[in-house]
């Protein structure tokens, strides 16, 4: 199939592109800077600077992953706007592409897998969270809710929509682990605040497999939690990472230090949700890395 990916040059997208090509699909990537990201992607990827640029070769599947990194900068009002706009604009580009294809009488894609995040639920304390749990209204929720809402109109065009509320993506060379590993390797790691906050996580290969599963299972639509079946608290994450690295992790970072350093963005580190992949599991998806021990052992 011909699969178009926004954010295909990112940490998740790069792996998705490789896997899709391995399985014989054609891969189209939308990037703001096609020439700059060329070296990060396999040669066979067709990289263009907008979704509309693929009008001549219409995709059969859309995967929507683009967006300003949530942890790139402190959440000033203008940064919050950038986080929201980057996601809404990328999603809107895909809707516009479908509208133009429809107007031309060309075939529409059959499905769009659109990104969202665990932040959709906001801070849920120690409550078990599935796709039906009502969200806590805070910035992370508003961001994800607007991102999800931007994708919705595609359903009215008859395109199946599956939304993935992604947990912390784990693999070497990017994402959360890349930031956490240096202090932990030096034995300077520790929990954040009380450590009681949940950190739903997923191995990058499982996330890519989940995207491909949703792409292929033609009856699945709506929101899916994209995280491993065994989420852990920050304290357990810290202990497991330290164990895998054979290092102590005895330097907790107090909540007030994180709040002073990161402002509102410290919520990413100090709050969370015990998010479970209820709908993926029910649909028969199996995780290659169901436990953190197994995932970190493979990665490290
Ligand atoms: N990694 C995680 O732990 C995690 C957890 C939950 C949710 N997610 C979500 O899943 C998606 C993929 O994650 P990822 O880790 O692969 O992200 P990533 O590495 O940060 O890549 C996202 C891509 O989005 C594009 N992008 C960045 N800033 C942008 C902006 N201001 N406007 C438009 N496009 C922009 C970039 O592509 P170009 O430079 O080529 O345009 C980038 O390669 C993201 O939307 C992220 O929020 C990730």
């Amino acid at each position: 199939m011909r699969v178009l990916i926004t954010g295909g040059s990112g940490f998740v997208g790069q792996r998705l592109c490789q896997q899709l090509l391995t399985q014989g699909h054609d891969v189209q990537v939308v990037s703001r800077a096609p020439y700059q990201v060329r070296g990060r992607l396999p040669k066979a990827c067709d990289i263009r600077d907008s979704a509309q640029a693929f009008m001549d070769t219409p995709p059969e599947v859309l995967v929507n992953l683009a967006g300003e990194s949530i942890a790139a900068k402190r959440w000033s009002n203008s940064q919050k706007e950038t986080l929201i706009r980057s996601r809404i604009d990328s999603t809107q580009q895909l809707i516009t592409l479908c509208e133009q294809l429809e107007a031309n009488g060309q075939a529409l894609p059959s499905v769009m897998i659109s990104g969202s995040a665990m932040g959709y639920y906001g801070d849920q304390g120690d409550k078990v969270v599935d796709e039906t749990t009502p969200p806590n209204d805070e910035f992370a929720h508003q961001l994800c809710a607007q991102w999800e809402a931007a994708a919705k109109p595609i359903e009215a065009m008859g395109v199946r929509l599956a939304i993935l509320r992604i947990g912390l993506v784990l693999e070497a060379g990017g994402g959360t682990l890349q930031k956490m590993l240096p202090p932990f390797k030096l034995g300077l790691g520790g929990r954040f605040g009380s450590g009681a906050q949940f950190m739903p996580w997923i191995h990058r290969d499982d996330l890519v497999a989940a995207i491909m599963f949703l792409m292929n299972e033609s009856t699945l639509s709506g929101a899916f939690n994209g995280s491993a079946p065994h989420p852990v608290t920050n304290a357990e994450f810290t202990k497991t990472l330290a164990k895998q690295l054979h290092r102590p992790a005895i330097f907790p970072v107090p909540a007030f230090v994180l709040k002073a350093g990161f402002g509102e963005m410290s919520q990413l580190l100090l709050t969370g949700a015990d998010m479970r992949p209820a709908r993926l599991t029910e649909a028969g998806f199996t995780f290659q890395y169901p436990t953190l021990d197994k995932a970190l052992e493979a990665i490290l």
Side-chain angles (χ1 to χ4, degrees):
M1 277 191 288
R2 202 179 287 142
V3 185
L4 180 148
I5 311 167
T6 72
S9 64
F11 178 53
V12 175
Q14 287 175 46
R15 185 70 181 144
L16 177 63
C17 290
Q18 290 167 358
Q19 290 294 92
L20 286 166
L21 288 168
T22 304
Q23 295 201 5
H25 299 288
D26 291 328
V27 178
Q28 304 175 322
V29 169
V30 177
S31 168
R32 293 164 302 165
Y35 293 103
Q36 281 171 34
V37 304
R38 179 70 276 171
R40 279 190 240 161
L41 290 167
K43 275 202 174 65
C45 291
D46 185 354
I47 314 171
R48 303 188 193 176
D49 65 3
S50 72
Q52 282 69 47
F54 288 103
M55 276 295 286
D56 58 346
T57 45
E60 295 159 280
V61 174
L62 304 172
V63 181
N64 185 30
L65 296 173
E68 169 92 357
S69 167
I70 187 92
K73 287 186 199 157
R74 274 174 79 110
W75 292 350
S76 62
N77 285 341
S78 77
Q79 182 61 8
K80 284 181 176 176
E81 191 53 32
T82 302
L83 289 167
I84 294 171
R85 274 261 66 90
S86 62
R87 287 174 172 76
I88 293 185
D89 289 352
S90 304
T91 312
Q92 185 58 49
Q93 269 199 41
L94 297 177
I95 308 268
T96 306
L97 171 67
C98 290
E99 284 168 352
Q100 290 175 351
L101 289 171
E102 198 172 41
N104 283 0
Q106 289 172 275
L108 293 185
S110 58
V111 58
M112 168 150 92
I113 319 296
S114 201
S116 182
M118 59 201 169
Y120 175 85
Y121 300 104
D123 182 10
Q124 295 282 343
D126 57 6
K127 212 185 302 158
V128 172
V129 169
D130 68 15
E131 290 85 352
T132 62
T133 304
N136 187 47
D137 191 17
E138 57 190 79
F139 175 67
H141 166 68
Q142 290 153 16
L143 171 64
C144 293
Q146 289 181 66
W147 193 8
E148 293 187 11
K152 271 285 190 196
I154 209 153
E155 288 184 309
M157 288 184 256
V159 178
R160 176 168 65 90
L161 174 64
I163 286 173
L164 253 185
R165 295 179 179 152
I166 302 169
L168 286 175
V169 184
L170 301 183
E171 180 52 294
T176 307
L177 266 189
Q178 193 178 35
K179 295 198 179 88
M180 289 182 85
L181 278 178
F184 273 79
K185 281 184 174 165
L186 292 170
L188 298 172
R191 62 170 201 268
F192 297 139
S194 72
Q197 65 279 24
F198 273 88
M199 292 173 67
W201 60 273
I202 184 165
H203 190 292
R204 186 174 63 169
D205 284 351
D206 274 336
L207 176 59
V208 165
I211 292 171
M212 291 165 74
F213 178 79
L214 291 172
M215 182 175 123
N216 293 324
E217 294 290 322
S218 62
T219 59
L220 298 179
S221 61
F224 294 83
N225 291 342
S227 56
H230 299 288
V232 292
T233 62
N234 171 263
E236 288 168 74
F237 191 96
T238 304
K239 214 168 98 186
T240 313
L241 182 56
K243 189 182 83 182
Q244 290 288 346
L245 290 168
H246 308 292
R247 293 281 188 281
I250 50 175
F251 293 99
V253 190
F256 77 87
V257 172
L258 292 169
K259 283 180 188 160
F262 297 112
E264 192 180 347
M265 197 170 85
S266 63
Q267 286 174 348
L268 289 179
L269 304 173
L270 293 171
T271 65
D274 183 358
M275 181 169 93
R276 310 290 173 98
R279 292 199 64 215
L280 274 179
T281 308
E282 192 184 281
F285 179 75
T286 49
F287 288 81
Q288 196 185 342
Y289 303 99
T291 63
L292 185 62
D293 251 327
K294 229 179 148 191
L296 289 180
E297 198 184 308
I299 293 168
L300 299 170

